[in-house]
Amino acid sequence: MQEKGSGFPNWGYVLLGVLAFAGFYFVKNMGQRTILKAVLGNPADLINKAMSSARVSPRITSRTGKITAKNFKLEKLGASKDSLSFRFFLDGERADATVRLWMAKRPSGDWEIIKSDTVYSN
């Protein structure tokens, strides 16, 4: 005769697997945007758009190859919170790229990229 309550039920393992997959999917697709939005507020959408377009930019991928990973770093926020310097890193198959953005908040309240610089390294 089998003893009842002697271990973790099978449906518990299935539930843990589903929760782990949902967490992975959220982080993979929405995590970066959510983190940027929480930290930066309004400029997050513009930065996310810049990072997404840089991953597929022919100008960048011609030197780096296919982009395999990306990472980002907020450098400094201006005292009046109307300027922002942001840097993100793209790891490619042949080389890496560092893209730095300088952003400013216009009187209308919209954020705009005023300058960008891309540095490549092997």
Side-chain angles (χ1 to χ4, degrees):
M1 180 174 249
Q2 217 175 19
E3 199 175 311
K4 291 190 177 190
S6 64
F8 199 67
N10 288 339
W11 62 266
Y13 291 113
V14 172
L15 181 63
L16 284 175
V18 168
L19 289 175
F21 177 75
F24 169 78
Y25 185 77
F26 174 77
V27 168
K28 177 92 171 131
N29 293 317
M30 297 295 292
Q32 175 183 301
R33 184 175 180 271
T34 304
I35 291 169
L36 283 173
K37 194 72 169 172
V39 172
L40 298 175
N42 288 337
D45 292 330
L46 185 59
I47 291 171
N48 197 34
K49 183 178 174 184
M51 282 197 291
S52 296
S53 64
R55 283 188 79 153
V56 295
S57 167
R59 182 179 62 88
I60 293 174
T61 56
S62 67
R63 290 185 174 196
T64 63
K66 182 180 177 187
I67 302 298
T68 57
K70 64 181 174 179
N71 193 2
F72 57 92
K73 178 181 179 183
L74 178 66
E75 290 185 344
K76 59 183 173 182
L77 195 60
S80 60
K81 295 189 179 188
D82 62 352
S83 64
L84 177 67
S85 178
F86 190 84
R87 185 172 24 167
F88 60 94
F89 310 96
L90 302 170
D91 296 337
E93 292 174 333
R94 295 189 310 261
D96 298 337
T98 301
V99 180
R100 188 168 177 190
L101 304 173
W102 288 270
M103 301 173 66
K105 188 174 185 180
R106 297 295 173 203
S108 65
D110 295 333
W111 284 87
E112 183 179 314
I113 297 173
I114 54 174
K115 183 180 176 186
S116 68
D117 185 30
T118 306
V119 177
Y120 299 97
S121 62
N122 292 332

